[in-house]
Amino acid sequence: MRIPNLTFVVFTYNEEARLPLVIRNFRSYGRILVVDNYSTDRTRDIAKEQGCDVLLNRNEGGFMENQETCDNVQSAVRTDWMFWLAADELVAADALEELERLIRSERYDVICMVRKNYFQGAFCHDIAIGYRARAFKKNTIDFRNNKIHEFGRIVAPKERVYYMPSRYFVHHLISNTAATYLETIQRYTEIEKKVRAPEELDRPLPYLLLLPFKALWSDYLLKGGIRGGRQAMHLSALMMIYSLLKAIKGYEAKMGLTADEIAKRNRQIAETILQTIPSAEIASPTDGRQETFSPQNTP
């Protein structure tokens, strides 16, 4: 074991297909704790067969970065250091060796890494990337009041926090198709709507108008996504859809645009349109109507 004072914490739900890859990636470098959200497949069995520790933890609220989960994990981890990741994330040997060097130096308490994405089997370079605390000592991240797509608040002194150069990164292997990614976007934006105020989600109209230019110019061209070809453009477009949908839902919440309210407004519009239609008296059952009989039915 290369880093005996480190535990890789892998969050799972029905990950029997991908978990063996994660175990192969990290088992030579430290302990592995699989934090499982009550999977219904063989995820926990595989973890135990491969010598991993297993912690059952209900993922309340739809995301793992909360204080209750952190407390449960810290109680289960037997090392000073933890490295948090999902089952669709891997780290190459050069980054792990640099991580080992940094931990052994004892100069830092929190080590942040950037994550880079693969979509539809292609590397997307710097599209939709961001730094996040990955390896950290216990009690150095405060997850109280944390929200989805945030990673708590670092409470270690600034001089004890290190940002690894972006050449060392977490490989995020997105398994979604476009259809399943849109389902994920719908689920995540619903969670965002529950935990954030409408004003946090809504964006002014100029921002929405500029989003397509950001997706094409900033993400795809300036950040090197063009080297990822069509797949990188697809990911950039989906990230734009996420931002748009989040803003639209924020606007709906702020303006009270529920399904019932929209139906009410549509009825008012319908009444306005129908007022332009000339009214007509309802004819009596016999007015202007002729009865015909087929020959076989006449007496």
Side-chain angles (χ1 to χ4, degrees), residues 8-12 15 18-26 32 64-65 83-92 96 113-118 128-135 149 151 169-175 188:
F8 293 94
V9 180
V10 186
F11 292 87
T12 60
E15 292 288 358
R18 295 190 291 195
L19 182 58
L21 302 175
V22 178
I23 295 172
R24 283 175 55 193
N25 191 175
F26 298 109
I32 299 177
M64 63 191 184
E65 301 91 348
F83 189 108
W84 280 28
L85 69 150
D88 59 357
E89 296 176 329
L90 301 174
V91 181
L96 288 170
M113 294 179 66
V114 73
R115 183 176 79 168
K116 299 189 179 185
N117 300 294
Y118 295 75
I129 67 169
Y131 271 99
R132 201 186 83 175
R134 284 291 178 168
H149 295 145
F151 200 76
F169 59 90
V170 175
H171 298 254
H172 182 212
L173 308 178
I174 300 171
S175 59
Y188 280 169

Side-chain angles (χ1 to χ4, degrees), residues 173-271:
L173 308 178
I174 300 171
S175 59
N176 297 84
T177 62
T180 60
Y181 211 116
L182 289 171
E183 293 172 1
T184 300
I185 289 173
Q186 166 64 11
R187 178 164 55 88
Y188 280 169
T189 52
E190 283 299 303
I191 295 172
E192 296 245 27
K193 192 170 71 171
K194 291 178 182 177
V195 302
R196 299 185 189 276
E199 292 75 16
E200 290 185 75
L201 300 178
D202 190 21
R203 292 291 184 270
L205 183 59
Y207 174 90
L208 301 182
L209 292 173
L210 289 172
L211 265 180
F213 296 97
K214 177 183 180 298
L216 176 61
W217 177 251
S218 176
D219 293 349
Y220 192 62
L221 296 177
L222 293 185
K223 293 184 179 180
I226 192 170
R227 290 176 289 169
R230 279 284 299 269
Q231 294 94 328
M233 184 66 246
H234 296 164
L235 179 61
S236 184
L238 288 166
M239 292 297 99
M240 179 187 68
I241 291 170
Y242 184 94
S243 297
L244 281 171
L245 185 58
K246 185 167 60 172
I248 291 169
K249 289 186 176 184
Y251 177 81
E252 288 178 338
K254 186 170 69 174
M255 303 302 293
L257 292 174
T258 63
D260 288 342
E261 175 61 22
I262 293 171
K264 176 184 175 182
R265 295 187 181 196
N266 285 342
R267 284 194 297 271
Q268 293 171 345
I269 295 169
E271 288 297 332

Side-chain angles (χ1 to χ4, degrees), residues 55 71 79 112 147 174 194 198 221 223 232 250 269 294:
L55 171 66
D71 291 341
T79 58
C112 302
K147 297 175 182 177
I174 300 171
K194 291 178 182 177
L221 296 177
K223 293 184 179 180
I269 295 169
S294 60

